[in-house]
Amino acid sequence: MRSIPDSIVRLIEEFSRFPGIGRKTAQRMAFHVLKSPNDQAVQLAQSVMDMKTKIQFCSVCHGITEDDPCGICTDPKRDASSICIVEDAADVYTFEKSNAFQGVYHVLGGVLSPLDGIGPDDLHINGLIDRAKPGTEVVIATNPSIEGEATSLYIAKLLKGKSVKVTRLARGLPMGGDLEYIDDATIMRAMEGRTAI
Amino acid sequence: MRSIPDSIVRLIEEFSRFPGIGRKTAQRMAFHVLKSPNDQAVQLAQSVMDMKTKIQFCSVCHGITEDDPCGICTDPKRDASSICIVEDAADVYTFEKSNAFQGVYHVLGGVLSPLDGIGPDDLHINGLIDRAKPGTEVVIATNPSIEGEATSLYIAKLLKGKSVKVTRLARGLPMGGDLEYIDDATIMRAMEGRTAI
């Protein structure tokens, strides 16, 4: 049995590291690079390096940016008295895309997860406490997972007594969903959180 | 709405070009690169460039190799009188992995597809005719698709009268499959090709 040339195997291994990319997909990707014109491969390699060089973390919100502080933190039109707390830098763009929030963000950089050895000191929590001046609204937007909920409760507790309004995203039926296919936990939250119409 | 920094958008676009990678997966991949240590990103970029520089096409079989002619074509233990015709260079490694074939290969570099403007001159067919000396067995292993079948018939016709034995891979039930879930076309081929036990 003759095996795939080393340089391709190395690229397959690099691609396999990505989340959600298995060995087979990685192999297809590597062969795709092989077949595509040389300048496309150069561009791919260049884009990877370029991004790593240009992108830094905002010293205020810990989001990603090409200039520090980031465009959101320095935008005078954003409401600095409303801070949305998210787990990851990518989450910021989920809100920005929906245009649902006009305040500023604070990226935790993860969630509390004792099993993985991630405690409060591993997250950007201290900076948040400093930013949450009295009168601020803090919207906790961690993921609706066990760790996300625990992190949100932890932060709410820290902010208690600081005259900060702490809220979190509503739980309920996703738009376009079908009652028949929605899990019990979501149905329960939707019922608990029912609103008058 | 604030959008994702340019250098990340460019990387997302590069990743979106891969087959089977949608915009959302590409975005996850880009953010993964962002979060991973710098030297891993360097390694990824390096592997892409490295592969493009080192890999070339074998002048005999048109497979991929780091040295021309490739290790399979120059291996004296391989049976040069048996040539397996495949569409893509990646297909060679599917056979090599299974250890099912001890002959040599010939990579077409695609299949006939008039709708996409791919004719016989776009494939490595002429070289194949030269390689198929009298007494050779040519195993056609194009994909079991419409284009693959058409290409296999075209090649079989070309080789007619050259005292070359032309065969193709058996069609039938995939191992581990379940009759209930197998499509009609496959069932039909399996019935037509039934063998004595």
Side-chain angles (χ1 to χ4, degrees), chain A residues 92-100 105, chain B residues 1-2 24 27:
Chain A
V92 168
Y93 299 99
T94 305
F95 285 100
E96 288 299 290
K97 220 168 53 190
S98 73
N99 244 325
Y105 296 91
Chain B
M1 179 186 141
R2 185 71 50 169
K24 283 235 165 166
Q27 186 170 326

Side-chain angles (χ1 to χ4, degrees), chain B residues 82-193:
Chain B
S82 184
I83 306 176
C84 178
I85 303 184
V86 292
E87 292 179 18
D88 272 321
D91 296 334
V92 167
Y93 299 99
T94 306
F95 285 100
E96 287 299 290
K97 222 168 53 190
S98 72
N99 244 326
F101 183 68
Q102 310 304 331
V104 294
Y105 296 91
H106 189 87
V107 178
L108 293 177
V111 273
L112 296 177
S113 175
L115 285 179
D116 302 319
I118 301 174
D121 293 339
D122 301 311
L123 306 179
H124 303 300
I125 288 184
N126 290 333
L128 168 67
I129 306 301
D130 298 338
R131 290 180 74 192
K133 303 265 175 287
T136 309
E137 174 178 4
V138 169
V139 185
I140 305 184
T142 50
N143 279 315
S145 62
I146 309 254
E147 289 85 1
E149 303 272 280
T151 309
S152 103
L153 288 176
Y154 179 84
I155 292 174
K157 218 182 219 169
L158 279 184
L159 292 172
K160 218 167 192 174
K162 283 203 64 180
S163 25
V164 165
K165 184 176 168 195
V166 182
T167 56
R168 69 166 184 188
L169 296 188
R171 274 89 168 96
L173 309 180
M175 295 305 289
D178 188 325
L179 274 176
E180 201 178 339
Y181 296 112
I182 289 172
D183 62 295
D184 293 347
T186 303
I187 292 282
M188 222 165 73
R189 297 300 178 92
M191 187 53 85
E192 282 169 13

Side-chain angles (χ1 to χ4, degrees), chain B residues 20-43:
Chain B
I21 304 290
R23 179 95 193 168
K24 283 235 165 166
T25 310
Q27 186 170 326
R28 276 182 72 195
M29 289 171 67
F31 277 99
H32 176 83
V33 175
L34 192 65
K35 271 190 275 185
S36 55
N38 245 325
D39 57 325
Q40 254 181 45
V42 173
Q43 237 176 318

Side-chain angles (χ1 to χ4, degrees), chain A residues 1-2 5 7-8 10 17-19 29 31 33-34 36 40 50 52 55 64 66 71 75 93 96, chain B residues 1-2 4-5 7-8 10 17-18 29 31 33-34 36 40 50 52 55 64 66 71 75 93 96:
Chain A
M1 177 186 145
R2 184 72 49 168
S7 53
I8 303 187
R10 271 196 301 278
R17 291 176 192 222
F18 286 105
M29 289 172 67
F31 276 100
V33 174
L34 192 65
S36 55
Q40 255 182 44
D50 214 42
K52 282 305 248 191
I55 296 292
I64 50 168
E66 293 189 356
D75 187 343
Y93 299 99
E96 288 299 290
Chain B
M1 179 186 141
R2 185 71 50 169
I4 301 182
S7 53
I8 303 186
R10 271 196 300 278
R17 293 176 192 222
F18 285 105
M29 289 171 67
F31 277 99
V33 175
L34 192 65
S36 55
Q40 254 181 45
D50 214 41
K52 281 304 249 192
I55 296 292
I64 50 169
E66 294 190 356
D75 187 343
Y93 299 99
E96 287 299 290

Side-chain angles (χ1 to χ4, degrees), chain A residues 77-188:
Chain A
K77 281 188 239 123
R78 309 288 301 215
D79 176 8
S81 71
S82 184
I83 307 176
C84 178
I85 304 184
V86 293
E87 291 179 19
D88 271 321
D91 296 334
V92 168
Y93 299 99
T94 305
F95 285 100
E96 288 299 290
K97 220 168 53 190
S98 73
N99 244 325
F101 183 69
Q102 310 304 331
V104 293
Y105 296 91
H106 189 88
V107 178
L108 292 177
V111 274
L112 297 176
S113 176
L115 284 180
D116 302 318
I118 301 176
D121 293 340
D122 301 310
L123 306 179
H124 303 299
I125 288 184
N126 290 333
L128 168 67
I129 306 301
D130 298 339
R131 291 179 74 191
K133 304 268 175 284
T136 309
E137 175 179 2
V138 169
V139 185
I140 305 185
T142 49
N143 280 315
S145 61
I146 309 253
E147 290 86 1
E149 302 272 280
T151 309
S152 104
L153 289 175
Y154 178 85
I155 292 173
K157 218 182 220 168
L158 279 184
L159 293 172
K160 218 169 192 174
K162 284 204 62 183
S163 24
V164 165
K165 184 175 166 196
V166 181
T167 57
R168 70 164 183 189
L169 296 187
R171 273 89 168 95
L173 308 180
M175 294 305 290
D178 189 325
L179 276 176
E180 201 177 339
Y181 296 112
I182 290 171
D183 61 298
D184 293 347
T186 303
I187 292 283
M188 222 165 72

